[in-house]
Amino acid sequence: AQSVAQPEDQVNVAEGNPLTVKCTYSVSGNPYLFWYVQYPNRGLQFLLKYITGDNLVKGSYGFEAEFNKSQTSFHLKKPSALVSDSALYFCAVRDTGNTDKLIFGTGTRLQVFP
Amino acid sequence: KAGVTQTPRYLIKTRGQQVTLSCSPISGHRSVSWYQQTPGQGLQFLFEYFSETQRNKGNFPGRFSGRQFSNSRSEMNVSTLELGDSALYLCASSTSGTSGRVSTDTQYFGPGTRLTVL
């Protein structure tokens, strides 16, 4: 069955340091992978997606993600964190070989300290 | 271009009542999906509509239903409300292609409707 795992409930990082939010997936077909961010009392905002092509995907607000097929991972990264990046981050996968539904991970809360 | 709008933003109901939530997609988007977000279960897919047809459905009881109108606006209805239905209900729209084809399109989310069942 398709699934998405975000192994860390919370990630803490100092402002200016690089950040990584981890995501692994399990699907039967080709995965379409997405990252979303949710600020308090707001809906989800799209950050980036991987469909095909280059394994390194660049998205909004300086975020990028690397698709690794052998490790079935799609980690979100940013070279230099900002306090304003503090939010809840969701990884999602659309299983093209199965239900085609969009399945979300449980979310990782990113806390950037000044 | 205006984003996805959802009404109402907040709603309080009592057990046994029914509720209807509304979603207006981004202009030109023909696909609308609904999700339920709770602290315990996270984000769960409810259903997806494309051109007034339900294209996909999540694992929710029949009390949860939806529809899409010819202008792509969508409503979801929950009947016989239970305490566990308290959640943030999110709507997302995308351009999405022909029914039956896998969509690569990005889903854009509305701010959600927070439903509280007492």
Side-chain angles (χ1 to χ4, degrees):
Chain A
Q2 63 184 89
S3 64
V4 179
Q6 293 181 243
E8 302 154 316
D9 289 337
Q10 180 154 328
V11 169
N12 299 317
V13 64
E15 187 174 33
N17 282 2
L19 69 88
T20 298
V21 182
K22 296 180 181 177
C23 172
T24 59
Y25 65 89
S26 174
V27 299
S28 57
N30 291 322
Y32 292 165
L33 295 152
F34 302 80
W35 275 102
Y36 287 86
V37 59
Q38 187 176 35
Y39 296 99
N41 300 315
R42 302 276 294 277
L44 274 67
Q45 293 181 31
F46 168 75
L47 280 178
L48 50 80
K49 68 179 178 183
Y50 171 83
I51 303 299
T52 187
D54 290 339
N55 290 341
L56 185 63
V57 179
K58 293 189 183 298
S60 306
Y61 312 121
F63 284 93
E64 59 188 26
E66 186 169 9
F67 170 66
N68 188 316
K69 188 173 182 179
S70 62
Q71 296 185 7
T72 61
S73 66
F74 190 57
H75 301 331
L76 181 70
K77 300 181 180 183
K78 187 173 182 180
S80 178
L82 300 172
V83 173
S84 58
D85 292 331
S86 299
L88 189 57
Y89 290 80
F90 290 94
C91 179
V93 64
R94 189 183 280 261
D95 185 356
T96 65
N98 195 359
T99 64
D100 194 30
K101 297 174 185 175
L102 193 61
I103 304 299
F104 283 87
T106 51
T108 298
R109 186 163 299 283
L110 174 66
Q111 192 71 46
V112 181
F113 296 95
Chain B
K1 187 185 278 192
V4 178
T5 58
Q6 293 187 244
T7 56
R9 291 292 311 278
Y10 301 91
L11 207 48
I12 298 176
K13 293 285 187 179
T14 57
R15 280 181 298 175
Q17 287 187 309
Q18 75 164 18
V19 67
T20 299
L21 312 181
S22 180
C23 171
S24 292
I26 292 171
S27 177
H29 286 193
R30 297 170 64 191
S31 173
V32 173
S33 298
W34 288 90
Y35 297 85
Q36 181 196 64
Q37 185 178 20
T38 60
Q41 299 297 319
L43 273 159
Q44 293 186 284
F45 171 77
L46 279 157
F47 24 65
E48 179 182 11
Y49 287 88
F50 177 81
S51 292
E52 303 179 65
T53 301
Q54 188 179 87
R55 185 161 70 171
N56 233 327
K57 190 177 191 308
N59 299 322
F60 278 81
R63 301 185 296 107
F64 291 80
S65 62
R67 58 178 175 169
Q68 187 180 32
F69 302 95
S70 59
N71 62 358
S72 294
R73 190 178 70 85
S74 177
E75 289 181 347
M76 69 162 280
N77 185 278
V78 187
S79 62
T80 320
L81 283 166
E82 301 177 358
L83 295 178
D85 297 333
S86 295
L88 180 67
Y89 289 88
L90 294 166
C91 166
S93 77
S94 65
T95 54
S96 211
T98 306
S99 178
R101 287 182 56 192
V102 172
S103 172
T104 63
D105 294 322
T106 300
Q107 293 192 357
Y108 294 93
F109 284 78
T113 294
R114 184 163 297 281
L115 171 66
T116 302
V117 182
L118 303 176

